[in-house]
Amino acid sequence: MASTPSRTARTAQPARLAWLDALRGPAALAVALHHSAWTFAPGIWAHVDGRIDVGTWGVFVFFLVSGYIIPASLERRGDLRAFWIGRAFRLLPLLLTAMCLAFLLAYLGAYTLRPALSTRPLPLVALGNLTMLQELLGVTPVIDVVWTLSYEMAFYLLTVGLFTLRQSQRSAPIAIGLALLAVPLGFLLPGPAISGHADLVAALFVVAVVVAVIVSVAARGTTRTVAAVAGGLLGLALVIFGSRIGAWQGLTILGMMFAGTAVYRAEQGTIRKRTAVAAVLTVLACGVFAKHDPGWAPAIVLAAAFFAAVFALRRRRFPRWLAHIGVISFSLYLLHPLLLRVSPNLPVFFLILLPLGYLTHRFIEAPAQRLGRRWTRPPVQATPRDRETPYALTPEG
């Protein structure tokens, strides 16, 4: 008969998860507030946005969280198949639901799809949105906020490539290198080289990424390594040449995620704390000038400060309601642009958004994640302590 976890183990687990959710929850609400305030109170919000871009603050908190948790999850699993299946079941079910809802609302006249969706080849639009790489391919998104998922995907590809080369511990120098590279490339490539009309180039890139992922999952040995490294190089190339916001901002985002990884390395004792601090500060120093917007620099600096503050308090108890909002943060993030089109005002928007996020998490996200875990093999020779780590249980990213 399997032993029952002690009360100490059961209570310690939520506490170790709560600080990540304490970051995700406010980040998702900040993005929702940013878009809803521009919709319902643009005059007032213009004064706020001119001082700090609250939406940018929120997404950079998400990027830091992903940087911290994604490599840790991959390394703990030690299995590319489990990682990619986990990512697919984590993101795609809700994404597909949201896109179907967007098309339904558009059919009913309650949501406006971008006209450019109908000007590109349908297979390219579908593949770009389903792989979540549309932002880096010049492909129009079905839902605008999914642009952040393109950078998440590029980060996944790079992380997998480094993992297969056993170079994962180099996150701090990689963050610093990306930040330093961002500045000159920002002047050379202020906009995307992969334009919105380069259908063949975009198609070749997205097909190559899909093939690289499939081969890295299915193959073994040298073939797997080559495919994973190729995927990482493709991810980096897409950020440099395909980023709609330019190479400077795109590489700043990647650098910030690797800076989040450096924080994890320092916590685990594999690198010095000052090395992780240097990585974060270098990314900030190079990134604050990446956008000519007075709200940009305060947003990314305060995002890093907020992450640092919550990280410092990670062993403290956080309110359960805050942790719950963090758990449903992906639903809040993905569905709020659709709700904006049918909500009459700001208070009603949030009164509907939170219950809606709870319902979609419970009936779509959570069952899909459970199904994904059934499809993956358990870690080889995993100990009970390994199975109780937050990285296996947290809805990552």
Side-chain angles (χ1 to χ4, degrees), residues 326-376:
V327 169
I328 66 173
S329 58
F330 186 51
S331 285
L332 300 179
Y333 182 81
L334 205 53
L335 297 177
H336 81 269
L338 305 179
L339 183 59
L340 277 176
R341 308 304 180 188
V342 297
S343 177
N345 54 54
L346 191 60
V348 171
F349 169 75
F350 278 102
L351 285 174
I352 297 175
L353 179 62
L354 289 168
L356 178 64
Y358 169 78
L359 291 173
T360 52
H361 177 268
R362 179 173 181 179
F363 294 108
I364 299 174
E365 285 192 81
Q369 291 175 52
R370 288 194 295 268
L371 181 60
R373 285 194 287 271
R374 292 176 190 169
W375 277 42
T376 58

Side-chain angles (χ1 to χ4, degrees), residues 11 26 44 76 106 118 128 253-254 256 276 288 301 311 313 315 346 389:
T11 56
I44 297 173
R76 193 163 295 276
S118 60
I253 290 171
L254 269 189
M256 191 68 84
V288 291
V301 171
F311 177 79
L313 299 172
R315 294 184 177 85
L346 191 60
T389 57

